[in-house]
């Protein structure tokens, strides 16, 4: 199947399952930043399940297909690209992050950003070069790039690089940006399930530099 055929198949399946009324609701939810076909997550993933299944058998990333999907004017196509990368993450390498970075920098909002952290995080478990890259991203002028750095170790549990987490969080303290302060809180909350003592100490040591939102989120699961 040619690349253009795969993209047309994807687009046709999304159109066939579209729901104009739901699309309006979804567009409103994301502040009318993007157009939608109007598919809820289960229906959307079902519409391209066979396509991703076939791609896994190919054992390589079809960047042309993903670029076509990312260029689509409807948000579900970007969700497809994210789901594709998550599903085929074992075929990604450090060099592929440059391509993922293009997606991080374009059509930005929390929905795609919080999906793109997943393949980047998986690459980081295989390649230590990601550590220095994420440290650099944590100081980027673009707060969405910084959010990726803050969140990329979510769900690491005992595989958490604690030193890296600490540096990245410290690079983003004293921020007035909601999406950064929320991400800091999520990172701490997630790791508190594994190492509550470390999280409690981090908050105590940095409380004067942390936003109330970060403290609230980060403390949510700490024992009282």
């Amino acid at each position: 199947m040619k690349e253009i055929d795969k993209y047309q198949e994807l687009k046709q399946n999304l159109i066939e399952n579209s729901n104009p009324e739901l699309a309006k609701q979804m567009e409103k939810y994301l502040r009318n930043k993007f157009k939608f076909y109007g598919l809820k997550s289960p229906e959307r993933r079902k519409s391209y399940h066979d396509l991703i299944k076939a791609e896994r058998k190919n054992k390589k990333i079809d960047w042309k297909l993903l670029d076509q999907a990312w260029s689509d004017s409807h948000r579900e196509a970007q969700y497809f690209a994210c789901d594709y990368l998550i599903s085929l993450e074992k075929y990604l390498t450090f060099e592929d992050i440059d391509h993922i970075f293009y997606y991080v920098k374009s059509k930005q909002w929390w929905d795609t950003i919080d999906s793109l952290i997943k393949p980047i995080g998986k690459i980081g478990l295989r390649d230590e070069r990601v550590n220095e890259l994420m440290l650099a991203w944590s100081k980027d002028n673009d707060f969405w790039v910084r959010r990726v750095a803050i969140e990329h170790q979510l769900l690491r549990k005992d595989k958490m690089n604690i030193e890296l987490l600490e540096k990245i969080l410290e690079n983003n303290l004293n921020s007035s940006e909601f999406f950064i302060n929320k991400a800091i809180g999520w990172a701490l909350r997630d790791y508190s399930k594994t190492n509550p003592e470390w999280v409690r100490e981090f908050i105590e040591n940095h409380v004067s530099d942390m936003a109330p939102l970060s403290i609230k989120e980060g403390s949510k699961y700490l024992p009282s």
Side-chain angles (χ1 to χ4, degrees), residues 1 41 61 63 105 109 118 140 157 200 210 213:
M1 186 183 297
S41 296
I61 307 298
W63 288 110
K105 290 288 291 182
W109 200 238
K118 298 174 183 178
D140 197 274
K157 297 183 178 180
R200 185 187 301 278
M210 294 178 67
L213 176 61

Side-chain angles (χ1 to χ4, degrees), residues 44-98:
R44 185 190 77 241
R45 292 193 171 108
K46 183 178 180 181
S47 73
Y48 51 67
H49 173 270
D50 290 345
L51 177 54
I52 289 184
K53 183 178 180 180
E55 288 296 289
R56 282 200 298 266
K57 293 180 179 178
N58 291 335
K59 299 182 180 181
K60 63 179 181 179
I61 307 298
D62 187 341
W63 288 110
K64 184 173 183 179
L65 169 61
L66 296 186
D67 286 347
Q68 289 173 312
W70 204 264
S71 297
D72 193 284
S73 60
H74 293 78
R75 199 57 166 167
E76 287 92 345
Q78 283 92 66
Y79 294 160
F80 161 78
C82 292
D83 286 342
Y84 181 112
L85 290 169
I86 292 168
S87 184
L88 277 75
E89 59 82 15
K90 67 181 179 180
Y91 304 114
L92 291 166
T93 68
F94 179 79
E95 288 70 26
D96 290 318
I97 295 181
D98 281 345

Side-chain angles (χ1 to χ4, degrees), residues 5 8 23 31 38 47 49 60 69 71 110 125 144 154 174 196 214:
D5 293 335
Q8 292 300 335
R31 303 183 183 180
S47 73
H49 173 270
K60 63 179 181 179
S71 297
W110 61 262
L125 287 172
W144 290 117
L154 288 179
N174 295 299
S214 300

Side-chain angles (χ1 to χ4, degrees), residues 14 51 59 123 142 161 178 203:
L14 292 173
L51 177 54
K59 299 182 180 181
I123 299 170
D142 186 339
N161 184 324
F178 170 84
I203 294 175

Side-chain angles (χ1 to χ4, degrees), residues 17-29 36-41 43 76:
N17 292 282
S18 62
N19 182 327
E21 288 303 313
L22 183 58
K24 293 178 182 178
Q25 297 174 28
M26 298 172 79
E27 289 164 6
K28 184 177 180 180
Y29 179 65
F36 278 84
Y37 287 115
L39 285 81
K40 293 183 178 180
S41 296
E43 289 76 17
E76 287 92 345

Side-chain angles (χ1 to χ4, degrees), residues 194-210:
T194 301
N195 193 342
E197 295 80 9
W198 186 89
V199 171
R200 185 187 301 278
E201 184 177 351
F202 181 91
I203 294 175
E204 289 176 351
N205 290 341
H206 300 87
V207 63
S208 62
D209 299 317
M210 294 178 67

